[in-house]
């Protein structure tokens, strides 16, 4: 992380976010400063570093204005472990449901996966080399060497008959007499076995059997190596991709995560997986194509090459120093001023459970304990029913930075449709291009779409930029349905086309309520 962000100033961080998110300068500045402060903290001496806590952020704004996208893009920019959770999923301790500590376990799992992928990439070349050798072993098996001497069998046991013994009218004793002996050479031969002749030539091999290390063995070895190299060439040229091989794969049993009374049985899940593997349930033979076999073998070899302990240690360090948790819908657990009963009974309890996690606590995970003191928490909510002041005071104090995101209007919608790298118009053009249907949006059509989205948001529920998804999908529904049948084709999306498809829906408020 330090190498990636040392050269990024807060202004450059905002510029990177501008490539994907339109507007919301206040929120972008807040997260840029928070991210830069993490870099500054890492450069301090350890004693001073421990005393500096992250300044958690509370984002306030309606749905669809970019709260989640800002946090997700920030984590991707910083290469930080990131997890998005909904506060409404958690329950107070004592209720059946997820406990708040599971958000840290989810973050740690994301960190382990991130570090594992990075380490697998670093050993990818060696993993491919080993996988190629393993694949050649399947395609060109090593010839089996015949043993010179048969294995010495165990002693021969033959029954000799039964006997009985009665001593003075008491209970009788019956038994079986047996003979134990070591078999002779002739006795060792079973049906169809050839017993080598005894004498001077007893140690000589039959004329038709290749002697390992002898002249015949050298010739066979050269032939085997030549065949193996020929198959190696074919493998690298892709000539064997469609062939099939039988491989043995590790089949780790997946046990569902069990949660009860606010607790997670992760240790039990890990133990059950280990027991299943101990009893041999982790191997399975399957016939797959050579291409798929290579993918499986590369993954298995990469898994063997990485150090699991190192992965856990690095992931834990990265989570504790640079992890980001985005808690969405936090306004839904805020208790309103009247503090009514019913469904609100556990909301304040969930806040009390979240509080120690945000303040700094040690959470046990399957990869070891994780300290949450320096994890950055970003909470978000619309707060259209409750207010930030309805949160318990202690939790309010743990989110000192509050930014209010602006509602989106016609001008912002126009920019969203054209400016970002992942603009909706670009997405739909690329999707339909796969069907050999080329669509082109005129500027008038884009302006009309932006105006319609702003108008519908003002008359119906304001769902922000998500309104653009519903409008674009309705606009291109018929074209998407018929694209395979009319291809190849070029379609111009003009203002008249937009009016034809959407004007009636936009004007009919009752119909628009259900469709748009």
């Amino acid at each position: 992380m330090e190498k990636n962000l040392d050269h990024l100033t807060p202004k450059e961080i905002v510029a990177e976010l501008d490539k994907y998110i339109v507007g919301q300068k206040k929120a972008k500045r807040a997260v840029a400063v928070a991210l830069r402060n993490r870099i500054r903290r890492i450069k301090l001496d350890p004693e001073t570093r421990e005393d500096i806590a992250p300044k958690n952020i509370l984002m306030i704004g309606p749905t669809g204005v970019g709260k989640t996208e800002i946090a997700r893009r920030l984590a991707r920019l910083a290469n930080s472990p990131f997890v998005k959770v909904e506060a409404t999923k958690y329950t107070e301790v004592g209720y059946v449901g997820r406990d708040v500590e599971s958000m840290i376990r989810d973050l740690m799992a994301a960190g382990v996966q991130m570090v594992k992928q990075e380490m697998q990439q670093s050993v990818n070349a060696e993993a491919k080399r080993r996988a190629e050798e393993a694949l050649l072993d399947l395609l060109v098996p090593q010839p089996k060497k015949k043993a010179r001497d048969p294995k010495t069998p165990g002693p021969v046991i033959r029954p000799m008959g039964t006997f009985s013994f009665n001593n003075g009218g008491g209970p009788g004793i019956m038994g079986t007499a047996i003979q134990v002996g070591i078999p002779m050479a002739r006795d060792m031969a079973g049906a169809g076995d050839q017993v080598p002749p005894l004498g001077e030539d007893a140690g000589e091999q039959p004329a038709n059997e290749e002697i390992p290390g002898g002249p015949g063995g050298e010739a066979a070895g050269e032939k085997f190596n030549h065949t193996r190299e020929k198959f190696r060439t074919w493998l690298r040229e892709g000539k064997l991709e469609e062939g099939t091989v039988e491989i043995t794969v590790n089949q780790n049993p997946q046990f569902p995560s069990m949660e009860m009374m606010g607790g997670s049985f992760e240790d039990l899940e890990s133990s059950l997986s280990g027991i299943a593997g101990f009893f041999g349930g982790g191997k399975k033979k399957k016939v797959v194509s050579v291409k798929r076999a290579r993918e499986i073998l590369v993954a298995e070899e990469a898994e063997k090459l990485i150090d699991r302990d190192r992965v856990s240690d690095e992931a834990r360090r990265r989570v504790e120093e640079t992890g980001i948790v985005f808690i969405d819908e936090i306004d839904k657990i805020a208790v309103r001023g009247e503090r009514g009963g019913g469904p609100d009974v556990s909301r304040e309890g969930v806040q009390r459970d979240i509080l120690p996690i945000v303040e700094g606590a040690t959470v046990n995970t399957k990869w070891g304990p994780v300290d949450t003191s320096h994890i950055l928490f970003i909470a978000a909510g619309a707060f259209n029913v409750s207010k930030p002041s309805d949160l318990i005071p202690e939790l309010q104090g743990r989110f000192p930075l509050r930014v209010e995101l602006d509602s989106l209007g016609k001008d912002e919608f126009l920019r969203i449709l054209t400016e970002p790298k992942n603009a909706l118009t670009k997405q739909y053009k690329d999707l339909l291009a796969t069907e050999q249907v080329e669509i082109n949006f005129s500027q008038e059509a884009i302006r009309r779409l932006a105006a319609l989205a702003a108008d519908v948001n003002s008359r119906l529920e304001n769902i922000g930029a998500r309104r653009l998804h519903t409008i674009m999908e309705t606009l291109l529904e018929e074209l998407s349905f018929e694209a395979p049948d009319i291809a190849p084709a070029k379609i111009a999306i003009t203002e008249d086309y937009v009016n034809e498809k959407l004007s009636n829906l936009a004007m009919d408020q009752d119909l628009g309520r259900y469709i748009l």
Side-chain angles (χ1 to χ4, degrees):
M1 173 183 170
E2 296 88 336
K3 293 181 180 178
N4 293 339
L5 291 179
D6 263 349
H7 65 285
L8 281 180
T9 65
K11 288 184 179 179
E12 291 171 329
I13 294 172
V14 171
E16 288 293 323
L17 294 176
D18 283 340
K19 294 179 181 179
Y20 300 96
I21 302 135
V22 170
Q24 314 303 352
K25 292 294 183 184
K26 292 180 182 178
K28 290 176 183 175
R29 286 169 62 94
V31 297
V33 170
L35 184 59
R36 188 65 182 179
N37 280 338
R38 307 192 92 180
I39 304 303
R40 294 164 179 162
R41 175 184 168 274
I42 291 175
K43 295 179 179 179
L44 297 174
D45 60 272
E47 185 176 352
T48 307
R49 186 190 308 165
E50 284 300 315
D51 296 331
I52 298 178
K55 304 303 183 288
N56 298 319
I57 302 169
L58 177 62
M59 294 184 180
I60 305 167
T63 183
V65 296
K67 301 187 294 294
T68 305
E69 191 66 13
I70 288 174
R72 182 177 285 112
R73 292 291 176 182
L74 182 76
R76 191 172 300 176
L77 178 64
N79 195 28
S80 299
F82 173 80
V83 65
K84 174 186 177 292
V85 299
E86 286 79 28
T88 51
K89 285 187 176 180
Y90 301 106
T91 61
E92 185 178 355
V93 172
Y95 288 83
V96 177
R98 300 201 77 190
D99 64 298
V100 295
E101 290 186 351
S102 64
M103 69 174 70
I104 305 301
R105 291 192 284 266
D106 293 343
L107 181 66
M108 186 63 188
V112 167
Q113 186 65 23
M114 176 185 292
V115 174
K116 184 183 291 186
Q117 287 179 354
E118 292 176 2
M119 290 189 176
Q120 285 177 345
Q121 288 177 0
S122 65
V123 299
N124 192 46
E126 176 64 16
K128 285 183 177 180
R129 187 192 68 79
R130 293 190 180 189
E132 184 181 78
E133 296 298 328
L135 200 53
L136 286 171
D137 290 340
L138 295 172
L139 294 170
V140 190
Q142 184 80 20
K144 295 181 179 180
K145 295 181 180 179
K146 294 184 179 180
R148 292 188 177 185
D149 299 319
K151 293 183 180 179
T152 303
V156 174
I157 301 175
R158 293 190 178 95
M160 299 289 294
T162 61
F163 66 89
S164 62
F165 176 75
N166 193 336
N167 185 12
I173 300 174
M174 297 188 64
T176 302
I178 60 173
Q179 179 188 23
V180 179
I182 299 175
M184 301 297 291
R186 295 288 176 183
D187 296 331
M188 296 181 192
D193 291 339
Q194 294 184 356
V195 181
L198 300 177
E200 295 181 358
D201 299 333
E204 294 180 3
Q205 298 292 332
N208 60 348
E209 183 176 340
E210 294 179 359
I211 304 173
E218 291 178 1
E222 290 178 2
K223 182 178 180 181
F224 169 75
N225 291 333
H226 177 72
T227 304
R228 188 180 178 91
E229 292 305 314
K230 185 181 294 185
F231 271 80
R232 188 191 304 275
T233 302
W234 289 343
L235 268 180
R236 293 178 178 178
E237 292 176 354
K239 294 180 178 179
L240 305 177
E241 296 296 283
E242 300 305 320
T244 58
V245 292
E246 184 182 66
I247 63 173
T248 303
V249 297
N250 294 323
Q251 190 180 26
N252 294 324
Q254 298 294 326
F255 294 93
S257 179
M258 295 175 291
E259 298 184 6
M260 184 176 68
M261 298 300 291
S264 178
F265 289 76
E266 289 191 338
D267 293 337
L268 177 60
E269 174 190 347
S270 179
S271 300
L272 290 174
S273 300
I275 292 173
F278 177 77
F279 284 107
K283 298 287 186 180
K284 179 182 178 181
K285 288 187 177 181
K286 59 190 303 185
V287 178
V288 296
S289 66
V290 171
K291 180 179 180 181
R292 177 58 182 156
R294 183 188 291 107
E295 296 172 356
I296 295 173
L297 292 171
V298 167
E300 288 187 352
E301 294 298 333
E303 186 75 21
K304 295 176 185 176
L305 288 169
I306 61 176
D307 184 351
R308 292 188 178 184
D309 292 335
R310 185 183 166 200
V311 169
S312 300
D313 293 341
E314 174 61 21
R316 185 163 57 249
R317 184 199 68 82
R318 195 175 296 189
V319 164
E320 292 179 346
E321 297 293 333
T322 68
I324 298 175
V325 176
F326 182 78
I327 306 176
D328 202 5
E329 309 292 351
I330 198 168
D331 58 315
K332 304 300 188 297
I333 63 169
V335 181
R336 294 185 291 275
E338 63 272 13
R339 293 183 180 270
D344 300 338
V345 66
S346 68
R347 291 183 178 182
E348 191 168 313
V350 175
Q351 294 182 56
R352 287 195 300 267
D353 290 346
I354 290 177
L355 182 61
I357 303 296
V358 179
E359 285 182 336
T362 300
V363 176
N364 290 321
T365 71
K366 66 172 69 175
W367 300 277
V370 175
D371 184 8
T372 67
S373 300
H374 298 98
I375 293 175
L376 177 64
F377 290 87
I378 302 176
F383 289 99
N384 49 6
V385 176
S386 58
K387 305 182 296 296
S389 58
D390 291 331
L391 297 169
I392 61 175
E394 296 86 353
L395 192 58
Q396 293 182 48
R398 299 308 298 181
F399 290 90
L401 298 182
R402 299 184 183 181
V403 291
E404 189 169 352
L405 284 81
D406 303 320
S407 298
L408 302 177
K410 176 183 175 181
D411 295 337
E412 288 77 20
F413 288 151
L414 183 60
R415 295 177 59 194
I416 289 172
L417 286 170
T418 55
E419 291 183 8
K421 282 187 174 182
N422 58 344
L424 280 178
T425 52
K426 299 175 184 176
Q427 292 180 21
Y428 279 95
K429 286 181 67 174
D430 293 340
L431 285 173
L432 289 173
T434 63
E435 302 276 6
Q436 296 184 343
V437 175
E438 181 182 344
I439 60 173
N440 293 298
F441 292 87
S442 67
Q443 288 298 320
E444 293 77 13
I446 294 175
R447 281 195 289 268
R448 180 60 177 156
L449 287 170
L452 282 173
D455 178 58
V456 174
N457 270 350
S458 65
R459 291 188 291 107
L460 305 178
E461 293 293 332
N462 185 1
I463 59 174
R466 292 188 176 93
R467 184 69 67 185
L468 292 174
H469 289 271
T470 62
I471 285 183
M472 290 289 290
E473 199 62 36
T474 305
L475 173 70
L476 299 173
E477 179 184 10
E478 183 179 350
L479 184 58
S480 297
F481 184 81
E482 296 179 350
D485 301 323
I486 64 174
K490 291 185 178 181
I491 307 295
I493 308 298
T494 62
E495 185 177 2
D496 292 337
Y497 186 96
V498 174
N499 290 331
E500 178 187 349
K501 300 294 182 183
L502 297 177
S503 289
N504 292 335
L505 296 177
M507 295 302 295
D508 190 336
Q509 187 166 343
D510 292 333
L511 187 57
R513 186 180 300 276
Y514 294 102
I515 298 180
L516 295 179

